[in-house]
């Protein structure tokens, strides 16, 4: 992917159309001049979204009213306890509500039974249902439940939503795997055990995965069957509300991983063939099926499908007080080929033309416009591998409207390096290029590894580094072997370099912060339904005799340093040195000086580095601290004085000790 004009103002991307900019969807060209040849395509896309907004304004009274579909569809109870139930099922000729309506039963279960034009009777779970349960001892199918506790028993939110954080430090988490025990963990346990841990680690955003009710636990939440139901595997809706509210009380923002890119193909307890037709919520025929995911694809050009999906976003914001969304599978939504068998070179022709799915793009534009208008402090993140330009630019300029995109090339780079290159073959310039090669003016969230790198069939970074010795030499009572020494040192350095250089946000998948020793694999037929790998062993950081605690504490030190100095929301770093023979990289960001020595055997005393701002500097972060599992070779009390002579393109220089495989961060003494 080609990076765009680095001198463009970020304010253009993150705000409304500035004075003098066109109001036809081409304002983004001011941010990215490479888009000029595609001016007509931008205009056409913008015109289509405006047409949809006009239709919604005329027929529904605007996006705000249109997205309140839960007030009309599904079950609604009025002040007199009258219950109204509505569904959109255009193919059905008749419909009946069937179930156990015994008033002595607290949780009533039911189905909607419909007659199709052929006379066939079909039974389905309501599409807008807000609570479903599964009893695997009886059947893998879900039962719909009428969740309507008495007013006195409903959870009452106590804390306001936090303000949108300036720096996004994201902890990606899955409630079910959040315990070291061999079972599905709960909302209650996450609230009690994980929230304090995440707070200590210095993350200010939690990205919750696999919350929307999914048909198959091993799908990691990606086979949604009930879009308005919080997964009952982990507890009740009120217990999820308590989790979110407790996080808000700690000042932590909570995002939901939302899956609008596809849906479970389940018929009896999903949306597939809901009214007996192939094309109720989805495209009919092959267009409505994802070949690799074995799932159904929404028809984003349908008025009622738009109501369903936009209302789904409103519901999670209003009912559960989420603070925004990470949109999964955005690449599939942007292109008619869904990214299948397609490599993206970064050529702009790939982002326009017949392979682009206008319906998917327009839905995402409408969703972002609706969300940011109603909830100004909310956050949306796009998971897109293609690098589509203007994805994180405001709709008023012709953009799709996301706040951040995920830097998906970065974890691929680290895993490829660890698999294929020896330490002395690492290309420092290429590493720096990959970490900085992004669309400036569009915010990016960098990460070293995510859940994808932890899933069975792959290895986490720490497993690549240490492999079998993770099981034999991570105790302080055992030999500190060269393998473990290298692994711990590079684990910290890779994280700090990615954090400081890779974007405007940072993401970590739970457990990876302390070098989790095992991969992730959910109970399934292929592993005899074992929970052995479907857990995160946070207990490893609590044992003072294990070295995992050192990595855990470094992660906290790194995040808390960012919280103080704010490099993630500062201008892009200035890289003053990329020395291939020394394996050293030096850069400045947010007034800090970062120096990394990736050399596998050589330490450098009095290593000269350039610094723009003169003054006296002190160490604020050091990967070699004993508390972080290092050797304490760098004296944290040392004062570094600048010399008024240019060096590496900077106005001044100082000299530092850079031991092998260490990184150090310096700050002006006056900022301590």
């Amino acid at each position: 992917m080609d990076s765009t004009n680095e001198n463009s103002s970020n304010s253009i991307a993150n705000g409304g159309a500035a004075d003098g900019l066109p109001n036809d969807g081409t304002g983004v060209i001011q941010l990215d001049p490479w888009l000029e040849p595609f001016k007509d395509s931008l205009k056409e896309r913008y015109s289509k979204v405006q047409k949809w907004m006009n239709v919604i304004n005329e027929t529904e009274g605007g996006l705000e009213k249109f997205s309140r579909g839960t007030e009309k569809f599904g079950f609604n109870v009025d002040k007199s306890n009258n219950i109204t139930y509505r569904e959109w099922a255009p193919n059905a000729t008749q419909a009946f509500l069937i179930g156990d309506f015994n008033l002595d039963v607290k949780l009533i279960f039911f189905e909607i039974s419909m007659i199709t034009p052929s006379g066939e009777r079909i039974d389905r779970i309501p599409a807008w249902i807000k609570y479903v349960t599964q009893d695997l001892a009886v059947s893998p199918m879900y039962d719909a439940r009428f969740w309507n506790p008495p007013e006195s028993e409903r959870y009452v939110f106590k804390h306001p939503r936090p303000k949108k954080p300036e720096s996004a430090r994201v902890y990606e988490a899955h409630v079910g795997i959040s315990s070291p025990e061999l079972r599905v963990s709960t909302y209650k346990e996450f609230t009690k055990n994980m929230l304090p841990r995440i707070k200590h680690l210095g993350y200010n955003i939690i990205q919750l995965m696999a919350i929307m009710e999914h048909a198959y636990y091993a799908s990691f939440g990606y086979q949604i069957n009930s879009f308005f139901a919080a997964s009952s595997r982990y507890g009740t809706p009120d217990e999820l509300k308590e989790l979110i509210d407790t996080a808000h009380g700690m000042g932590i923002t909570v995002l939901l991983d939302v899956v609008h890119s596809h849906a479970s193909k389940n018929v009896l307890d999903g949306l597939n063939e809901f009214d007996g037709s192939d094309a109720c919520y989805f495209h009919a025929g092959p267009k409505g099926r994802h070949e690799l995911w074995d799932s159904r694809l929404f028809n984003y050009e349908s008025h009622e499908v738009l109501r369903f999906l936009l209302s789904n976003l409103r519901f999670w914001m209003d009912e559960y007080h989420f603070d925004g969304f990470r949109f999964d599978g955005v690449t599939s939504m942007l292109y008619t080929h869904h990214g299948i068998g397609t490599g993206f070179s970064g050529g702009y022709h790939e982002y326009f033309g017949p392979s682009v799915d206008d319906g998917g793009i327009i839905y995402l534009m409408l969703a972002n416009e609706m969300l940011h208008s109603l909830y100004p402090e909310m956050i949306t993140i796009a998971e897109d591998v293609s690098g589509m330009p203007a994805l994180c630019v405001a709709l008023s300029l012709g953009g799709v409207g996301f706040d951040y995109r995920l830097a998906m090339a970065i974890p691929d780079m680290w895993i490829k390096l660890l698999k294929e290159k020896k330490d002395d073959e690492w290309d420092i310039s290429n590493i720096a290029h990959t970490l900085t090669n992004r669309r400036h003016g569009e915010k990016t969230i960098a990460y070293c590894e995510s859940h994808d790198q932890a899933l069975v069939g792959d290895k986490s970074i720490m497993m690549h580094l240490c492999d079998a010795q993770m099981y034999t030499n991570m105790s302080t009572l055992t030999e500190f072997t060269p393998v473990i020494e290298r692994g711990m040192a590079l684990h910290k350095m890779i994280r700090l370099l990615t954090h400081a250089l890779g974007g405007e946000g940072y993401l970590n998948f739970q457990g990876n912060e302390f070098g989790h020793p095992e991969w992730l694999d959910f109970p399934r037929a292929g592993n005899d339904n074992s929970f052995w790998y479907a857990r995160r062993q946070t207990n490893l950081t609590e044992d003072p005799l294990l070295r995992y605690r050192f990595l855990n504490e470094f992660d906290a030190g790194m995040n808390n340093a960012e919280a103080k100095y704010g490099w993630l929301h500062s201008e892009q770093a200035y890289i003053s040195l990329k020395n291939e023979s020394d394996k050293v990289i030096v850069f400045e960001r947010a007034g800090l000086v970062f120096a990394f020595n990736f050399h596998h055997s050589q330490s450098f005393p009095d290593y000269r580095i350039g610094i723009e701002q003169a003054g006296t500097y002190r160490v604020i972060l050091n990967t070699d601290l004993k508390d972080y599992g290092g050797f304490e070779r760098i004296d944290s009390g040392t004062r570094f004085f600048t010399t008024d002579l240019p060096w590496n393109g900077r106005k001044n220089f100082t000299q530092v000790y850079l031991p092998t495989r260490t990184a150090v961060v310096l700050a002006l003494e006056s900022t301590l």
Side-chain angles (χ1 to χ4, degrees):
M1 180 184 78
D2 294 325
S3 58
T4 56
N5 183 3
E6 298 186 14
N7 296 317
S8 300
S9 169
N10 286 356
S11 63
I12 295 177
N14 300 327
D19 290 342
L21 289 176
N23 192 28
D24 59 359
T26 62
V28 66
I29 295 171
Q30 301 295 320
L31 180 68
D32 185 354
W34 290 95
L35 287 168
E36 178 67 37
F38 306 97
K39 194 172 187 177
D40 291 341
S41 296
L42 289 168
K43 284 183 178 180
E44 184 180 0
R45 182 185 299 176
Y46 188 76
S47 174
K48 286 180 179 178
V49 79
Q50 292 301 318
K51 284 180 182 177
W52 260 115
M53 292 181 77
N54 290 336
V55 168
I56 292 169
N57 287 337
E58 292 169 7
T59 61
E60 304 285 350
L63 274 174
E64 195 278 330
K65 290 183 179 178
F66 185 52
S67 58
R68 282 194 273 164
T70 52
E71 296 176 11
K72 180 177 181 181
F73 290 92
F75 287 89
N76 281 284
V77 183
D78 67 19
K79 293 179 181 178
S80 302
N81 282 328
N82 296 311
I83 302 173
T84 305
Y85 171 51
R86 290 189 184 92
E87 286 286 359
W88 176 63
N91 189 55
T93 58
Q94 298 179 64
F96 311 89
L97 192 63
I98 59 175
D100 181 358
F101 299 113
N102 186 340
L103 294 179
D104 293 329
V105 179
K106 187 173 182 181
L107 275 174
I108 298 171
F109 70 88
F110 48 81
E111 294 178 309
I112 178 172
S113 186
M114 294 173 280
I115 307 296
T116 68
S118 67
E120 179 188 6
R121 179 183 287 272
I122 57 173
D123 296 337
R124 301 287 189 264
I125 279 186
W128 297 70
I129 194 67
K130 297 172 185 173
Y131 190 57
V132 295
T133 59
Q134 181 187 51
D135 185 351
L136 288 173
V138 177
S139 166
M141 307 306 295
Y142 277 88
D143 293 316
R145 302 285 186 176
F146 181 51
W147 179 262
N148 185 40
E151 197 75 36
S152 60
E153 296 179 16
R154 296 179 186 177
Y155 186 81
V156 178
F157 288 91
K158 304 173 183 65
H159 304 287
R161 287 188 172 103
K163 292 285 187 183
K164 182 190 296 187
E166 284 189 295
S167 293
R169 301 184 301 275
V170 186
Y171 194 87
E172 183 183 47
H174 184 294
V175 170
I177 65 172
S178 296
S179 164
E181 297 182 33
L182 299 173
R183 58 176 177 79
V184 178
S185 190
T186 68
Y187 296 127
K188 282 277 191 185
E189 290 167 331
F190 192 95
T191 302
K192 179 183 177 182
N193 302 323
M194 286 302 299
L195 290 184
R197 173 181 290 274
I198 294 166
K199 177 69 173 176
H200 167 73
L201 287 169
Y203 292 94
N204 56 8
I205 298 174
I206 297 172
Q207 183 174 289
L208 282 182
M209 317 296 287
I211 295 296
M212 300 168 74
E213 192 60 270
H214 43 295
Y216 182 41
Y217 189 46
S219 76
F220 204 76
Y222 294 137
Q223 294 289 340
I224 307 298
N225 49 350
S226 293
F227 283 77
F228 291 85
S231 181
S232 57
R233 289 181 177 90
Y234 322 127
T236 68
D238 279 1
E239 288 165 351
L240 174 57
K241 291 175 184 178
E242 181 185 32
L243 185 164
I244 296 167
D245 192 33
T246 305
H248 287 169
M250 297 178 172
I252 299 173
T253 292
V254 187
L255 307 182
L256 174 68
D257 181 54
V258 67
V259 187
H260 283 179
S261 49
H262 63 125
S264 164
K265 69 173 186 179
N266 283 16
V267 172
L268 297 180
D269 61 356
L271 292 179
N272 192 16
E273 299 178 19
F274 180 74
D275 62 357
S277 73
D278 189 42
C280 185
Y281 283 95
F282 310 113
H283 289 292
K287 189 177 180 181
R289 286 169 172 78
H290 197 292
E291 297 172 15
L292 293 185
W293 296 343
D294 194 26
S295 54
R296 296 301 312 265
L297 296 168
F298 286 105
N299 178 5
Y300 302 111
E301 296 168 22
S302 162
H303 190 100
E304 290 303 325
V305 171
L306 287 181
R307 186 200 307 277
F308 182 85
L309 295 175
L310 292 173
S311 297
N312 189 235
L313 299 173
R314 281 291 301 273
F315 171 78
W316 290 106
M317 293 293 291
D318 294 344
E319 182 72 17
Y320 286 95
H321 289 204
F322 277 99
D323 304 296
F325 303 98
R326 178 250 198 199
F327 279 74
D328 179 73
V330 166
T331 306
S332 179
M333 303 170 77
L334 295 176
Y335 305 97
T336 55
H337 52 64
H338 310 296
I340 300 173
T342 304
F344 292 94
S345 67
Y348 276 51
H349 64 282
E350 297 170 335
Y351 307 123
F352 299 93
S355 64
V356 174
D357 188 335
D358 283 343
I361 290 180
I362 287 164
Y363 163 64
L364 291 171
M365 287 174 148
L366 289 171
N368 275 300
E369 181 69 9
M370 183 262 300
L371 288 167
H372 288 94
S373 297
L374 295 176
Y375 315 97
E377 297 294 323
M378 69 89 61
I379 296 170
T380 56
I381 301 172
E383 189 219 22
D384 168 45
V385 72
S386 76
M388 176 175 275
L391 197 64
C392 301
V393 175
L395 173 64
S396 59
L397 296 169
V400 182
F402 284 98
D403 293 290
Y404 295 92
R405 70 192 324 145
L406 291 174
M408 301 181 75
I410 294 175
D412 291 343
M413 174 197 70
W414 287 124
I415 297 299
K416 186 177 175 66
L417 262 183
L418 295 172
K419 281 181 177 179
E420 300 177 4
K421 300 289 186 182
K422 296 178 182 179
D423 291 10
D424 59 358
E425 296 174 336
W426 284 23
D427 185 331
I428 298 298
S429 293
N430 184 64
I431 292 171
H433 173 74
T434 302
L435 287 168
T436 55
N437 182 32
R438 55 187 184 272
R439 299 193 184 284
H440 295 282
E442 299 190 49
K443 292 181 181 177
T444 297
I445 292 181
Y447 55 110
C448 313
E449 52 186 333
S450 72
H451 60 263
D452 291 331
Q453 278 74 32
L455 288 169
V456 68
D458 206 338
K459 293 180 180 180
S460 66
I461 282 178
M462 195 60 177
M463 282 295 287
H464 274 294
L465 289 166
C466 300
D467 224 345
Q469 289 197 23
M470 294 281 286
Y471 300 101
T472 59
N473 288 84
M474 283 300 281
S475 167
T476 56
L477 301 179
T478 61
E479 179 190 359
F480 194 28
T481 65
V483 169
I484 296 296
E485 178 188 335
R486 168 183 177 264
M488 291 183 65
L490 290 179
H491 190 273
K492 291 177 285 186
M493 294 179 72
I494 286 170
R495 281 172 148 61
L496 180 58
L497 185 62
T498 303
H499 203 306
L501 199 58
E504 291 72 41
Y506 176 78
L507 178 141
N508 169 73
F509 177 63
Q510 69 183 119
N512 287 347
E513 71 274 9
F514 63 84
H516 198 280
E518 289 174 340
W519 55 86
L520 184 62
D521 187 17
F522 287 85
R524 54 187 175 85
N527 63 15
D528 296 323
N529 292 311
S530 171
F531 278 89
W532 185 259
Y533 297 111
R535 60 193 177 120
R536 297 276 93 179
Q537 300 176 66
T538 50
N539 56 301
L540 296 175
T541 66
E542 296 158 10
D543 187 336
L545 297 179
L546 293 180
R547 295 186 167 106
Y548 296 102
R549 65 185 175 92
F550 298 135
L551 299 178
N552 196 70
E553 289 312 301
F554 173 74
D555 205 67
M558 175 176 67
N559 280 319
N560 288 318
E562 197 290 326
K564 179 174 181 179
Y565 291 95
W567 61 71
L568 286 172
H569 65 268
S570 296
E571 292 296 316
Q572 175 57 279
Y574 181 91
I575 302 174
S576 60
L577 180 65
K578 293 173 285 190
N579 189 306
E580 296 299 340
S581 59
D582 292 347
K583 301 300 178 191
V584 170
I585 179 170
V586 180
F587 59 88
E588 293 160 79
R589 191 175 185 187
L592 304 176
V593 184
F594 297 80
F596 292 76
N597 176 13
F598 280 98
H599 202 285
H600 67 283
S601 63
Q602 192 168 352
S603 298
F604 301 105
D606 298 326
Y607 199 88
R608 184 172 290 192
I609 61 173
I611 295 180
E612 185 68 12
Q613 188 172 351
T616 303
Y617 286 78
R618 298 277 292 273
V619 176
I620 62 143
L621 189 62
N622 164 20
T623 63
D624 200 41
L625 281 179
K626 283 186 178 179
D627 287 348
Y628 300 154
F631 295 99
E632 205 83 36
R633 289 167 293 188
I634 300 170
D635 183 356
S636 294
T638 302
R639 303 172 80 204
F640 299 89
F641 305 98
T642 58
T643 299
D644 184 16
L645 286 174
W647 190 256
N648 289 339
R650 311 311 272 160
K651 294 178 181 177
N652 307 277
F653 75 80
T654 193
Q655 296 183 165
V656 297
Y657 176 34
L658 291 180
T660 175
R661 290 194 182 120
T662 61
V664 63
V665 185
L666 308 179
L668 279 167
E669 196 171 57
S670 59
T671 66
L672 300 180

